[in-house]
């Protein structure tokens, strides 16, 4: 069975299937990569909780940066946020994001249940 949570015309905030919660990509506001990453991760935390999951249950993270020169700033916040011993598989690449002011988008898949 597939469960969709907060489904709109274009996407769902969460899709759950076979013990995995797939979260929609999260972005944040703020002037720096650190501020935007912190807000992204606050939003990821909220979606994980809504899905019945947590940071410790993350399976995979896909991270898009508007500019790879922000990689170190992203990692500064990311490394403090991920629980020790529970880092997910992760990929990070550069992409043009939906709005020019956005610096980062984070997509997470996590186990639940």
């Amino acid at each position: 069975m597939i469960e969709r949570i907060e489904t709109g015309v274009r996407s769902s905030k969460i899709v759950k299937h076979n013990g995995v919660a797939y979260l929609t990509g999260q972005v944040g506001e703020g002037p720096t990569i650190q501020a935007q990453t912190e807000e992204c991760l606050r939003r990821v935390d909220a979606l994980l909780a809504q899905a019945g999951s947590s940071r410790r249950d993350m399976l995979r993270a896909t991270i898009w940066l508007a500019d790879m020169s922000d990689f170190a700033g992203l990692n500064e916040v990311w490394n403090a946020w991920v629980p020790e011993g529970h880092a997910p598989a992760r990929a990070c690449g550069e992409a043009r994001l939906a709005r020019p002011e956005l610096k980062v988008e984070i997509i997470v898949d996590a186990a639940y249940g």
Side-chain angles (χ1 to χ4, degrees):
M1 181 177 143
I2 299 172
E3 179 184 0
R4 300 175 198 283
I5 300 171
E6 293 192 44
T7 300
V9 174
R10 187 171 301 133
S11 68
S12 298
K13 297 274 184 175
I14 303 165
V15 176
K16 296 169 76 173
H17 179 66
N18 277 349
V20 178
Y22 304 89
L23 308 184
T24 194
Q26 296 300 301
V27 298
E29 304 296 327
T32 66
I33 186 62
Q34 291 89 346
Q36 287 194 19
T37 302
E38 287 169 357
E39 186 170 340
C40 281
L41 296 176
R42 277 193 297 275
R43 292 176 181 188
V44 167
D45 275 332
L47 289 175
L48 287 169
Q50 189 175 359
S53 188
S54 73
R55 295 179 200 179
R56 293 181 177 274
D57 299 313
M58 290 188 298
L59 302 171
R60 178 175 55 188
T62 304
I63 302 170
W64 295 113
L65 291 172
D67 187 331
M68 285 304 292
S69 69
D70 283 329
F71 190 66
L74 159 78
N75 284 332
E76 173 187 318
V77 176
W78 176 267
N79 293 345
W81 180 80
V82 173
E84 187 174 336
H86 296 276
R90 187 183 111 161
C92 185
E94 184 175 281
R96 185 177 308 156
L97 300 179
R99 297 189 317 267
E101 65 273 14
L102 295 176
K103 296 178 180 293
V104 61
E105 181 170 357
I106 300 174
I107 307 157
V108 169
D109 304 331
Y112 70 90

